[in-house]
Amino acid sequence: MIRLTRARRLGAALAASALVLTACGGGGDDEASDTNTSEEETSAAPEGDGTLTLGSLLPQTGDLAFLGPPEFAGVDLAVEDMNAAGGVLGQDVVNVKADSGDGTPDIAGAEVDKLFNQDADAIIGAAASGVSVSVIDKITGAGVVHFSPANTAAGFDTYDDNGLYFRTAPSDRLQGQVLANLAVEDGFSNVAVMARQDFYGEGLAEQVQTTLEEKGATVADFVLYAADAQNYTAEVNQIAASKPDALVLVAFEETTKIIPQLIAKGIGPQDIQIYFVDGNLADYSSENFDLTGVKGTLPVSGDPDPGFNDRLLEIDPKLKDFSYGPQSYDAAIIIGLAAIAAGSDNGEAIGAEIINVTKDGTQCSTFEECAQLLEDGEDIDYEGASGPTDMNDTGSPASGTIGINEYSKGNKYKQVDQVSGIVE
């Protein structure tokens, strides 16, 4: 269940609530059990090579290449901050980069091998859930942390990941509910859903469908399509035949092909209300169609630092989009803090501490501050550039904020509202 609260003013702070997790153990004497567990964990704690190496598996090419620059900049800034504060375990953090080729899973596997060859202890990425799921077994099976700043597919909540997969973007259980609620609140009752047929698209579309029906709306049609199709004529015709009053389009770059076909069938942005998601919420100013009035959802920072984007611009002055930059920064910082807490740069040791450094301790908001607290023997609760980072026991954010955006003439969008929620 996800409880939602609407923030009517931009910049309103996310009212963060930590999800309290209780540990379950077997029977017998609790004190003896705790002692045995501690000894086992200490003796089994794997050692690293002394240098924390982060691998950035982020989109330089592919459908989500527009997300690559802010994500790379976020990791670069985090590494800069960590090293300026003395590094991790007395050594500078090393940052090696690779192309996730989001939208083309075949690229990611070979790029992961390159990161392994450079001794990556943790891999940050990919942006696309479908790409991450294609390499998650390879990464976690090697005892390496897999930490995405942008994966939102709900399927990761239950994926068997050896306790080594984490993310700083909220599950699409939240985005799907927010988007469906938005459509109903906007007054639409016969909503069609059209989505790419992959790990990301199907999961998000199904959550939208479920919530629409729970809210009493009719799902006019539910259509999945092959993302690499030459055209989407059959799917668009099917949607048009259902005569929807609104359409949720869960897509990536193929949006530029789908919109003209929707327009041709009389169900374009000027005919019915259309909703985008984080995968296709982009700048379309170079396209010749008109998206005025189209709305879209995007996970955002709950209580953003107004100066953070300026810091990203210092890393990459060419940035035009800042999506998932804060989440990428936080992913890298959390990994660094977990390594300090573990006293090791080994992936499995880091993974065992990641959730711990995000919750239930002394709050701190910079790497330097948090690292000092850890050195002093304190538990910490890292509050990041993307807002509260408290994780639940699946390694996903326990809460999140979804920005509501709207396109104006010129095909550029801006945030007009935001909704915060707690995942339970």
Side-chain angles (χ1 to χ4, degrees):
M1 179 180 70
I2 297 174
R3 299 201 306 271
L4 304 178
T5 59
R6 181 165 296 278
R8 285 294 176 187
R9 289 191 180 136
L10 297 181
L14 168 63
S17 299
L19 185 64
V20 179
L21 305 175
T22 56
C24 300
D29 183 83
D30 289 342
E31 184 175 350
S33 177
D34 289 344
T35 301
N36 291 337
T37 299
S38 177
E39 290 175 353
E40 289 172 4
E41 288 177 349
T42 300
S43 63
E47 296 183 0
D49 61 12
T51 299
L52 176 61
T53 300
L54 301 180
S56 296
L57 183 70
L58 297 167
Q60 296 171 336
T61 61
D63 291 345
L64 296 184
F66 71 95
L67 293 177
E71 291 173 343
F72 277 112
V75 177
D76 290 347
L77 179 58
V79 171
E80 185 177 282
D81 284 351
M82 286 190 282
N83 290 342
V88 170
L89 305 176
Q91 300 292 327
D92 278 353
V93 177
V94 174
N95 181 17
V96 293
K97 300 179 181 180
D99 179 18
S100 60
D102 286 10
T104 312
D106 292 344
I107 293 176
E111 294 290 291
V112 167
D113 288 336
K114 292 180 182 178
L115 295 177
F116 284 169
N117 290 336
Q118 296 177 80
D119 300 321
D121 302 302
I123 292 178
I124 299 175
S129 296
V131 174
S132 284
V133 80
S134 75
V135 293
I136 186 172
D137 292 339
K138 186 172 195 173
I139 295 172
T140 61
V144 173
V145 167
H146 185 184
F147 200 139
S148 174
N151 287 168
T152 58
F156 287 117
D157 291 328
T158 55
Y159 197 92
D160 184 4
D161 55 23
N162 299 313
L164 290 173
Y165 174 86
F166 307 89
R167 53 180 167 180
T168 40
S171 166
D172 274 334
R173 290 174 57 200
L174 177 59
Q175 183 176 192
Q177 289 197 20
V178 169
L179 184 53
N181 282 333
L182 176 63
V184 173
E185 288 177 3
D186 284 346
F188 301 107
S189 59
N190 191 42
V191 184
V193 179
M194 181 175 177
R196 56 189 289 131
Q197 191 168 23
D198 63 11
F199 189 64
Y200 161 79
E202 290 182 58
L204 178 50
E206 287 168 1
Q207 182 62 67
V208 170
Q209 179 184 34
T210 297
T211 304
L212 284 170
E213 292 173 343
E214 288 176 349
K215 295 296 180 180
T218 298
V219 176
D221 208 338
F222 184 93
V223 178
L224 299 176
Y225 63 85
D228 59 356
Q230 292 300 309
N231 64 69
Y232 307 92
T233 303
E235 292 84 356
V236 169
N237 286 343
Q238 184 176 336
I239 292 291
S242 70
K243 300 186 184 305
D245 54 12
L247 169 66
V248 173
L249 180 60
V250 183
F252 284 172
E253 191 177 25
E254 67 273 9
T255 297
T256 58
K257 297 179 181 178
I258 295 173
I259 292 294
Q261 291 192 265
L262 293 173
I263 293 172
K265 293 300 294 185
I267 51 171
Q270 307 312 307
D271 304 301
I272 64 172
Q273 180 63 54
I274 292 180
Y275 296 93
F276 286 175
V277 293
D278 61 315
N280 57 345
L281 192 71
D283 184 334
Y284 294 99
S285 54
S286 63
E287 301 295 332
N288 59 13
F289 46 69
D290 183 7
L291 295 178
T292 301
V294 170
K295 295 182 179 182
T297 50
L298 176 72
V300 296
S301 302
D303 188 11
D305 176 355
F308 185 75
N309 287 351
D310 292 336
R311 298 196 67 208
L312 289 180
L313 283 170
E314 291 177 5
I315 298 294
D316 184 354
K318 296 180 180 179
L319 284 180
K320 296 181 180 179
D321 189 301
F322 300 94
S323 298
Y324 296 113
Q327 288 86 350
S328 300
Y329 178 90
D330 286 343
I333 294 292
I334 290 169
I335 291 167
L337 293 173
I340 294 173
S344 172
D345 62 281
N346 175 274
E348 293 177 342
I350 292 170
E353 292 292 340
I354 282 180
I355 293 175
N356 295 337
V357 301
T358 69
K359 58 189 284 290
D360 296 343
T362 301
Q363 288 191 358
C364 51
S365 58
T366 69
F367 174 79
E368 185 174 18
E369 177 189 9
C370 294
Q372 186 59 58
L373 288 170
L374 288 171
E375 295 289 354
D376 293 341
E378 290 196 42
D379 291 333
I380 64 168
D381 176 0
Y382 172 65
E383 301 285 298
S386 61
T389 62
D390 303 50
M391 289 184 179
N392 58 31
D393 59 359
T394 72
S396 296
S399 63
T401 301
I402 305 296
I404 308 299
N405 302 268
E406 186 168 355
Y407 283 88
S408 57
K409 193 171 180 62
N411 292 345
K412 293 186 178 183
Y413 67 90
K414 67 177 181 179
Q415 184 174 305
V416 296
D417 201 356
Q418 63 183 30
V419 178
S420 299
I422 299 172
V423 182
E424 295 181 322

